[in-house]
Amino acid sequence: MSKARGFTLLELLVVVAIIGLLAAFVGPRYVSQIGKSETAAARAQIEALARALDTFRLDTGHYPSSAQGLGALRERPAGEAKWNGPYLQKDVPADPWGKPYVYRTPGARSDFELLSLGRDGAPGGSGENADIAY
């Protein structure tokens, strides 16, 4: 008759502790990579929107007003005879954190200002909460 063999409680606790240590080490690195990729996605979206705004300006001679906003890249604003859009294939996306991009014209440093307010959705901040501007 063979004797049933199994794991002792001590062996199981050691395995659980090792898995916990690995999760504690790998988890924060994984989460920080997600934050970096969201920031990179926001930068890429802002650059694409800026190119569309530049094309709008080439066609009409000016950037959309702050009141018209980024929606002017998809639908002809009233009174824009030279509009040759749509300048975006899809609707204006939200930033990677689900908040709308901020568009102002004139901008503080150039003809327009286009930015994401980061993860926290508030001006300023650092790290993932930092503003991402064009």
Side-chain angles (χ1 to χ4, degrees), residues 9 12 27 36 40 54 56 64 71 74 76 79 83 86 95 100-101 105 115-116 120 122:
L9 181 60
L12 290 174
K36 288 179 185 174
D54 287 337
F56 180 100
R74 287 283 296 158
R76 179 189 303 268
W83 190 85
D95 72 9
Y101 285 101
T105 186
L115 60 113
S116 166
D120 63 356

Side-chain angles (χ1 to χ4, degrees), residues 78-103:
E80 284 294 342
K82 295 180 181 179
W83 190 85
N84 196 24
Y87 300 97
L88 296 174
Q89 292 179 352
K90 298 180 182 178
D91 287 337
V92 178
D95 72 9
W97 300 281
K99 297 172 184 75
Y101 285 101
V102 176
Y103 171 72

Side-chain angles (χ1 to χ4, degrees), residues 16-80:
V16 168
I18 290 171
I19 291 172
L21 286 172
L22 287 173
F25 180 71
V26 172
R29 289 177 181 248
Y30 177 73
V31 170
S32 72
Q33 286 299 97
I34 290 173
K36 288 179 185 174
S37 62
E38 287 173 332
T39 301
R43 286 187 199 288
Q45 285 179 336
I46 286 173
E47 288 177 12
L49 290 170
R51 283 192 300 274
L53 286 165
D54 287 337
T55 306
F56 180 100
R57 185 185 66 75
L58 286 172
D59 287 347
T60 64
H62 60 86
Y63 289 105
S65 68
S66 294
Q68 291 170 329
L70 296 173
L73 298 174
R74 287 283 296 158
E75 295 181 20
R76 179 189 303 268
E80 284 294 342

